[in-house]
Amino acid sequence: MKTVTKTLFLCLMFALARAAPLQDSATDALPDRCEGIEFDAISPDEKGNTFFFKGDHLWKGFSGPAQLSREYFKDLSGHVDAAFRMHSTDNPDDHDHIYLFLDDKVFSYFNQTLEEGYPKQIQEDFPGVPTHLDAAVECPKGECKADSVLFFKEQNVHIYDINTKAVKTKTWSHLPGCTSVFRWLEHYYCFHGHNFTRFNPVSGEVTGNYPKDARNYFMRCADFGHGSAYKVLKCSDVKLDAVTTDDAGRTYAFAGPIYMRLDTHRDGLHAFPITKAWKEVTNGVDAVFSYSDKIYIIKGDQLYIYKADAHFTLIEGYPKTVKEELGFEGHVDAAFVCPNEHTAHIIQGQTMRDVDLTSTPRVVTQDLPLPLSDIDAALCGSDGIKLFKGSQYYYYESPRTLGVSRIAPRPQKVTSAMIGCED
């Protein structure tokens, strides 16, 4: 995963972006989202920055004060009714553009630059979509039936197929009146007042206990969920416990009691308690690897196997001992499985043990000496293997290269340019 070394630990450090206050007389009466305001629109841009709009102001990211919208989006005046980031891999000229809707007009921006020919009438770009919208959100194929945009107006949802330009209208009267809608980490949130309700983008179904206060999840406010003071980690202090990529391409990094999704960096990088996804794993992890739509988590002498679906489900009968499941004993430092292979490579001290995952019972097929010790985590991807040791990592082209090496390669240091830490 080439993105791993670029984004690693950014969220493990809980480094929430801080926006600099405007030096302008308009700052005298800036709106404060921690007071519980209602957003007009929410959308990320092509870089993963999330913008929260209210009147002629916006907030960039999950922390920081309000700023004038026109400071970021030139030629924009007034409030924003709705906004979304285009997801259309079949139309690269439009992909990742952010669309802002004002009354009967639509503005298209890329890199905070208004595209030539804009603003336009909404009907020119999105025929069949009404004016004076309440909210909008992108819905990629796989989450919706096709690459789509959901446009909200009162209780009606207009589902716009990006490729065919067809519009289907549904009435979701059970949803609150959405003044903004946000797709975040593959989930969909209807914002109303200072609360939000999560819903299914195909059926509109709401499951779970909603509404919830947005200040506990989507902003950093004193006395609310993100109100604590988080500090940016120094690069010299970086340390992982485990990292893995599952068969769906989702990459997870673990450190202490938290984890983060590395592949969702375009939605912003956010850390969560490990128990949020793997509720039975309560005291951190020692090693993790993925194989055959499952995630294997090792803690002490226990091994947990989870079905890696939309939600992780512990397979019945687990945890079991590492000895019972993998055929060896002792503390595990790191583990990895390479794409399209059936061998788990288990690192214990200066030994790498290979376990055939197709055999029953599973047994160690070979032990190989390593030129390194005290490895914290390991990851194998299409670009090779990375062994992480504190604030450094060692690169190998393949398990074979690692297995025959007798001299460790030159370590590569994690830098601020790679992961956003402080040098």
Side-chain angles (χ1 to χ4, degrees):
M1 294 289 297
K2 294 182 180 179
T3 59
V4 170
T5 54
K6 294 180 180 177
T7 61
L8 213 50
F9 317 109
L10 189 59
C11 188
L12 300 178
M13 298 176 279
F14 290 93
L16 298 175
R18 292 179 178 271
L22 285 172
Q23 301 301 315
D24 190 283
S25 59
T27 62
D28 292 341
L30 291 177
D32 183 358
R33 56 182 164 181
C34 290
E35 293 180 353
I37 66 173
E38 184 172 75
F39 297 115
D40 295 331
I42 306 173
S43 178
D45 67 5
E46 72 281 358
K47 298 176 182 177
N49 300 310
T50 299
F51 293 95
F52 297 79
F53 295 87
K54 178 65 176 180
D56 56 359
H57 286 80
L58 61 76
W59 293 263
K60 180 183 178 183
F62 288 65
S63 66
Q67 303 178 63
L68 288 170
S69 301
R70 65 176 180 268
E71 296 293 327
Y72 279 98
F73 298 99
K74 306 295 184 184
D75 305 305
L76 184 66
S77 60
H79 71 286
V80 175
D81 292 329
F84 75 92
R85 179 181 64 193
M86 176 67 76
H87 179 92
S88 179
T89 54
D90 292 335
N91 299 283
D93 291 341
D94 295 330
H95 184 65
D96 273 350
H97 289 212
I98 180 172
Y99 285 81
L100 306 180
F101 296 81
L102 286 75
D103 298 328
D104 59 351
K105 300 288 195 303
V106 57
F107 296 69
S108 174
Y109 287 87
F110 188 77
N111 196 25
Q112 297 178 20
T113 300
L114 184 66
E115 293 293 295
E116 186 177 354
Y118 287 87
K120 295 180 179 180
Q121 295 290 322
I122 292 175
Q123 291 291 318
E124 291 185 57
D125 260 5
F126 302 97
V129 173
T131 61
H132 299 86
L133 293 162
D134 293 329
V137 67
E138 72 275 17
C139 189
K141 183 178 180 180
E143 297 170 27
C144 282
K145 294 180 180 179
D147 283 339
S148 306
V149 182
L150 309 184
F151 292 98
F152 293 75
K153 184 168 183 178
E154 298 174 345
Q155 298 302 129
N156 292 328
V157 181
H158 306 271
I159 304 165
Y160 180 86
D161 187 309
I162 293 171
N163 290 322
T164 67
K165 300 186 182 301
V167 178
K168 294 182 180 179
T169 301
K170 297 182 179 180
T171 301
W172 289 347
S173 57
H174 59 282
L175 272 185
C178 305
T179 61
S180 56
V181 178
F182 184 31
R183 175 183 178 268
W184 187 63
L185 300 179
E186 302 168 0
H187 294 298
Y188 293 77
Y189 300 89
C190 162
F191 283 73
H192 45 98
H194 62 268
N195 295 318
F196 69 88
T197 296
R198 199 176 96 183
F199 66 94
N200 183 297
V202 175
S203 65
E205 181 183 9
V206 176
T207 57
N209 185 24
Y210 291 96
K212 295 181 179 180
D213 196 314
R215 291 169 291 184
N216 283 320
Y217 298 88
F218 293 98
M219 60 200 77
R220 181 171 157 184
C221 300
D223 302 322
F224 289 89
H226 283 133
S228 300
Y230 303 125
K231 294 182 178 179
V232 177
L233 189 70
K234 290 185 177 296
C235 295
S236 58
D237 294 332
V238 165
K239 180 177 172 62
L240 271 185
D241 291 333
V243 60
T244 190
T245 301
D246 67 16
D247 289 352
R250 299 172 295 200
T251 300
Y252 301 89
F254 300 80
I258 63 176
Y259 81 94
M260 66 173 272
R261 280 271 303 274
L262 298 179
D263 60 293
T264 57
H265 64 281
R266 275 168 35 86
D267 290 329
L269 297 171
H270 304 272
F272 299 97
I274 292 173
T275 52
K276 181 178 177 66
W278 302 276
K279 63 181 180 180
E280 295 82 5
V281 183
T282 57
N283 295 305
V285 305
D286 292 328
V288 179
F289 65 88
S290 301
Y291 175 70
S292 186
D293 293 322
K294 299 178 182 67
I295 285 187
Y296 293 64
I297 298 178
I298 299 173
K299 177 64 177 179
D301 65 350
Q302 299 292 299
L303 186 144
Y304 302 75
I305 302 180
Y306 288 84
K307 178 67 176 177
D309 211 336
H311 302 284
F312 294 99
T313 305
L314 185 66
I315 293 178
E316 186 176 356
Y318 288 86
K320 295 182 179 180
T321 65
V322 174
K323 172 67 174 177
E324 183 181 2
E325 183 67 24
L326 299 179
F328 64 86
E329 293 179 317
H331 177 78
V332 176
D333 294 315
F336 64 92
V337 174
C338 292
N340 304 314
E341 294 190 3
H342 307 281
T343 299
H345 304 279
I346 310 295
I347 297 175
Q348 295 181 291
Q350 284 191 260
T351 300
M352 182 171 70
R353 294 186 161 178
D354 289 351
V355 177
D356 183 358
L357 296 176
T358 64
S359 65
T360 304
R362 289 167 174 168
V363 295
V364 176
T365 58
Q366 64 176 343
D367 287 347
L368 298 169
L370 297 178
L372 298 165
S373 62
D374 302 319
I375 296 301
D376 296 324
L379 180 68
C380 184
S382 59
D383 58 340
I385 298 168
K386 296 179 180 69
L387 302 183
F388 297 93
K389 183 176 179 178
S391 60
Q392 299 176 325
Y393 68 93
Y394 300 81
Y395 172 78
Y396 293 88
E397 291 183 353
S398 67
R400 182 180 181 279
T401 303
L402 174 59
V404 300
S405 297
R406 295 297 173 261
I407 300 176
R410 182 185 296 274
Q412 302 182 55
K413 289 185 177 182
V414 172
T415 68
S416 60
M418 292 164 58
I419 63 169
C421 55
E422 288 185 344
D423 290 326

